[in-house]
Every structure is written in structure tokens, then in C-alpha cells.
Amino acid sequence: MTTDALTVTTAAALAAPVSLWLAAAIPRAAANRQGPLVAKAATATAWFAFALAVTALVAHGFGPPRSMNLLAVPLPFDLGHFALGVFVDTVTVIMLALVSLIGAVVTTYARTYMAGDAGEGHFHKWLVLTLAAILTLIVSSNLIMFALAWMATSLNLHRLLLFYPERPDARLAAHKKFVFSRVGDASLFTAALLIGASVHTLDFANLDAGIAALDGTIPLTLHVAAWLIALSAVLKCAQFPFHGWLIQVMEAPTPVSALLHAGIVNAGAFLVIRMSPIMSSAAGALEALAVVGLVTLTVASLVMLTQTSIKVSLAWSTSAQMGFMLLEAGLGLYSLALLHLVAHSLYKAHAFLASGSSVDGFRAPGLRFNSGAPKPWHWLVAFQGPILMALAAGWAFGIDPTAQPALIVTGAIVAIATAQLLLQALVLEDDARLLIRATAIGAFVCFAYFALHELFEHALHDSVRPVVPSGGTFDLVLSLAVVAVFVALILVQHLFTRIPGPLRQAIHVHLYNGLYVDVAVTRLIVRLWPIGRRPPQPKNGADCEVPA
């Protein structure tokens, strides 16, 4: 990368969040008086930030990582420095472009959605502040700066979740998220101090060198830091059993849900990817992430099938996808986790912003097929075909099962998902064209999966620290469990209706209520940290206080 390109990249990456912070600096009273004007300014600034993010992406060109600190203050006890600066690598420019695009689209949508609301200006002010905090988090060059932006993102989002503070359900969900976020903040700050004490640097650009200087001897402090980072990621990603708040924040305006599910909740996976030098070096934390992710996606996938509300079903879907993402990261597949993050963010933003149209789609009459139940040979062909496709695609891209066992496991997951599509086509035995089309789509999905993996693996080569497969018993058991879970989910989806009526109804009720886990968690939180008295509601309905 030339000096000019480096200057353009760092300047654009820095200017994107700074422009949003400046746009949100308007006083609260002025924002409430000039709601439509604030909405226009917020939309224009969000698109300007996206243009800057694209500039940084193009100028960087997936080159080597670069860091620039504007201010550095030495910390005591040889912890390193607290710095304000920009760290630019492939992960940074991809995430910056992705989140700024989602922010621009959500802000544009919110301009119409919130038009005429008494708190329109207040809403857009906090929406821009939240987006600014996320972008600051992405470009942070220093772990303390990262942790401060992490906390600022949560506090700004809290204002949006309590946009209608008179709603009891909104206050309860926001309170639970507030408590979990504070625990996550404390975990991340403690991890940062432990990392500084171990490698004597807090700059992302120097973490790899600091780990290498340990000569393979990883101190206990780094192991503890890795576990604290994993805890913070689990809480941010709303993993089981800390998932309840994500399901219940639907009282907030739709643009808030879109930004939360498509951008903010993904920060947990981004944290793990960013901290790959620590996570890949410390044993145990990644395996724990993989187990938590597997449990979450299993429970959330089953519960999602019973939901009747579109938004609630989407929320359970987000929890499941976050579990899948942390499972990938826990298996050491950082490139796939980032690919999954990009795809999920784009999909979920569209899903929430188009949720109203989805209702019309469900109400509209459509064609219905009398397909019947799958026969045994249907199951055999449906699973054999995609597995052969995945093996062929893996061979074509030079995947070595012994060197990359985790990648083979995720390839098997793709094959299993493709098998469901093929199974539906096989049941309709009178439609050969549908079967040919399903087979072609399945083959395309398998080859596209490995192609995208190779692309992201190449792009992230200098940005993440790879995990060395241990080849131990635990890894083998976990890999088999992952495959078994996905096979079981497909079987349950197709065979659930064949369970005897009373038993099926009982299972349905328990799953519909999320196995009642969140009820116990809510009671415990309210007992340990009671919800504060509801703040007085201003006349314009635009402001609220953070609960004690």
C-alpha cells in the first residue's frame, strides 16, 4: 500500500464516525423543535459516512494492516498505552462498509417511519449517536478505546429501546439488556487490563507481536482474558440463557430493531474475530464459545418454528444465527464467521424493514401442494446427493479433511441444509423439473460456499490469527455433535406432525414459551437489580432516563 493510499484509507475510516458524532451534537431541545430537519441531516450524514467507508475499502484494497494513533497516554504498571486512533485491516474496512450501509438504509427508512412523531428529532439524534458509536468501535486502534465505544454503543441503544418508556414490556426488556450489557462491559474492561499486564500493549496492531514474544508460554492472565472476552461476546449476541431481552425488545420502533439485529448484536462475533490473537492462543475459551453457540442455535431453531409473530420469529432467528456464528468462530473458522456476519446483517436488515410486507404475503392466497410424507428412499437420496456435492466442491477447492476438519464439518452443515431443499423436491415425484432445479441449486450452494470461504480466507490472511487444530477427542465429539444437531433439526421439522396429538401439543406449548428459561432469568435479575421507578414522561414523549 502506498503512502497516499494509506493516508486516504485512515483519513476516510476516521472521518466516517467523526462526521456522525458531529451531526448528533445538536442540543436535545433544538432536535425536538426541528424534527424533520434533524431527520434530513441524519440521513445525509449517514450516507456520507457510507461513502467514506467505501472510500476506505477501495483505498485499502485488502492490503496489510495499518494503524495510526492520534493521541497516546501511557498507563501505569506497564499496561501499555491508552490511545485514540484508527486500526485499518480487511476486517475493519469490510465491517465499516457493511455497518455504514445498514445505518444509511435504516436512517432513510426511519425518516419516513418517524415522520410526524412528537419525538422525531430526539429519535434521529440517538439513532445517529448509536451508529457513530458502532463505527468508532470498528475503527478503534486500542483495546481501551474499543471497550469505551462498546459501552457507548450499548448506552445509546438503551435510549432507543426506551423511546416509549410508558410501555412496561419495553422497560423490562431494556432493563434486562442493561444489566447484561454492564456485565459484558466489566468483562471486556477486565480482559483489556489482563491483556495489557500480559503482553504490555493494548494496540491491536501489536497484539500478534506481543503474543509471539511469549515464546509459546501463555500465562494464566491471558487464559482468563480469553474467557472474559467469550463471556462478553455471549452476552452481546444474546446467547442462551441470556437471550430473553432480544426477543422482547419489539416495543421499540422498527428501525431500532433493524439496526439492533443487523448491526449491533453482531458486535459479539466481531469482538471474537478482532481478538483472534488472544482467542487462538488461549485454550478452552473458543471451545466454550462453540458449545454455547451450538446449544443456542438448537434451542432457538426449535422455538422459532412455533412462533406466530413475524418479528418474534425473526428475533429467535437472530439468536440462532448468532449461535451459528459463534460456533464457527469457536471452531476457528474466522473467515466463515465474518462471511456469515455479512450475509446475516444484510438479510436481517431487509427482513425487519420489510416485516409489514411479510404480513401481506402470509395473508395472500397461494398454491398448495399435497406432497405427503417423505419415503425412506427420499431421505436416502436427499442426504447422499448433497454430501457428494459438498465432497466434490471441497475436492475442487483443495480442502484437506485432515488439515481442516472444522471446515469439513461446516461443509456438512451446508450439505444437510441443501438436503432439505432436495427432499422437498423428491416428495413431489410428478415434477421432474423441480427436482432438476433443486439439484442445480444445491450444487451451486455447495460450490459457492467453498468459493466464498476461499475468498474471505485470502482477504483475512493478514488480519486474523489462525487456530491450530488440536485433533483431540473433544474436537471430534464436538464435530460429530454439530452434524448430529443439524440432522436432528431437519428430522424434527419433518416428523413433528407425526407425534401423537397430546404429546405434540405439550411440546409445542413448552417450545412456544422458550422452555421458560427466560422467566427464571428475569425473576433473578429483577430481584438482584430492581427496575427503577418509571421516569416522568415529557409532553413530547421524547426523553427517558437510564434506569438505576
Side-chain angles (χ1 to χ4, degrees), residues 404-489:
Q404 298 172 290
L407 184 59
I408 296 300
V409 171
T410 53
I413 295 173
V414 173
I416 293 169
T418 306
Q420 187 172 9
L421 176 66
L422 199 59
L423 181 63
Q424 294 173 353
L426 284 168
V427 173
L428 299 173
E429 299 177 5
D430 57 339
D431 196 340
R433 291 179 300 176
L434 181 61
L435 178 59
I436 294 174
R437 187 183 307 168
T439 303
I441 293 175
F444 172 79
V445 168
C446 289
F447 277 86
Y449 165 81
F450 285 103
L452 288 171
H453 167 261
E454 286 295 312
L455 176 63
F456 272 69
E457 187 79 8
H458 176 73
L460 270 62
H461 176 70
D462 294 327
S463 301
V464 298
R465 184 184 183 93
V467 177
V468 178
S470 64
T473 303
F474 179 82
D475 291 344
L476 176 61
V477 172
L478 179 61
S479 300
L480 294 176
V482 171
V483 175
V485 163
F486 277 85
V487 172
L489 287 175

Side-chain angles (χ1 to χ4, degrees), residues 11 87 124 179 183 194 199 275 285 357 483:
F87 177 64
H124 283 278
V179 174
V183 176
L194 292 174
V199 298
M275 299 304 298
S357 302
V483 175

Side-chain angles (χ1 to χ4, degrees), residues 6 10 64-69 85-88 141-142 203-206:
L6 173 62
T10 53
R66 290 291 186 271
S67 181
M68 180 184 70
N69 286 334
V86 179
F87 177 64
V88 179
S141 65
N142 184 269
D203 288 338
F204 291 120
N206 299 326

Side-chain angles (χ1 to χ4, degrees), residues 82-399:
F82 163 60
L84 296 178
V86 179
F87 177 64
V88 179
D89 63 354
T90 302
V91 177
T92 300
V93 293
I94 290 177
M95 288 295 298
L96 191 66
L98 172 69
V99 176
S100 60
L101 172 61
I102 292 173
V105 172
V106 169
T107 306
T108 303
Y109 179 93
R111 181 178 170 184
T112 301
Y113 185 92
M114 298 301 297
D117 192 283
E120 179 181 5
H122 168 86
F123 177 86
H124 283 278
K125 172 185 172 68
W126 286 105
L127 184 64
V128 172
L129 280 171
T130 305
L131 184 57
I134 303 173
L135 298 190
T136 303
L137 172 79
I138 292 171
V139 304
S140 296
S141 65
N142 184 269
L143 190 48
I144 297 295
M145 178 183 174
F146 183 99
L148 291 173
W150 177 278
M151 183 170 63
T153 301
S154 172
L155 294 176
N156 291 332
L157 175 65
H158 189 77
R159 292 280 188 164
L160 293 173
L161 295 179
L162 282 177
F163 185 72
Y164 297 118
E166 71 278 6
R167 300 179 179 180
D169 291 342
R171 296 184 66 240
L172 177 60
H175 179 73
K176 289 195 292 184
K177 183 204 170 295
F178 186 86
V179 174
F180 289 144
S181 295
R182 301 295 72 77
V183 176
D185 295 344
S187 299
L188 186 56
F189 274 103
T190 305
L193 296 178
L194 292 174
I195 292 170
S198 302
V199 298
H200 311 297
T201 182
L202 295 171
D203 288 338
F204 291 120
N206 299 326
L207 282 183
D208 259 324
I211 296 294
L214 297 175
D215 295 326
T217 304
I218 306 301
L220 177 61
T221 50
L222 274 189
H223 287 284
V224 175
W227 280 91
L228 290 173
I229 290 170
L231 174 61
S232 190
V234 164
L235 293 172
K236 180 67 76 172
C237 289
Q239 296 297 277
F240 186 87
F242 313 111
H243 61 283
W245 67 267
L246 185 66
I247 313 301
Q248 298 157 1
V249 293
M250 298 306 164
E251 295 287 342
T254 296
V256 179
S257 299
L259 184 61
L260 169 62
H261 288 260
I264 298 175
V265 77
N266 294 313
F270 173 69
L271 169 64
V272 177
I273 296 172
R274 178 63 89 206
M275 299 304 298
S276 64
I278 306 299
M279 305 301 292
S280 298
S281 302
L286 281 180
E287 288 82 354
L289 269 181
V291 172
V292 171
L294 182 60
V295 171
T296 301
L297 75 88
T298 303
V299 174
S301 298
L302 291 173
V303 174
M304 182 180 65
L305 298 176
T306 66
Q307 301 302 307
T308 55
S309 168
I310 291 176
K311 280 192 172 183
V312 172
S313 180
L314 287 174
W316 279 107
S317 169
T318 297
S319 185
Q321 293 296 330
M322 291 300 101
F324 197 178
M325 211 175 293
L326 291 184
L327 171 63
E328 292 166 332
L331 293 173
L333 302 174
Y334 298 121
S335 56
L336 279 183
L338 183 62
L339 171 61
H340 191 170
L341 191 157
V342 172
H344 174 261
S345 294
L346 296 174
Y347 157 71
K348 199 52 64 77
H350 173 268
F352 269 97
L353 296 181
S355 57
S357 302
S358 300
V359 175
D360 295 334
F362 277 107
R363 291 174 176 173
L367 297 176
R368 300 187 181 276
F369 301 96
N370 295 320
S371 56
K375 300 176 181 177
W377 73 271
H378 289 156
W379 289 99
L380 182 63
V381 174
F383 277 98
Q384 281 186 342
I387 289 175
L388 292 175
M389 294 177 192
L391 290 175
W395 174 82
F397 285 94
I399 303 299

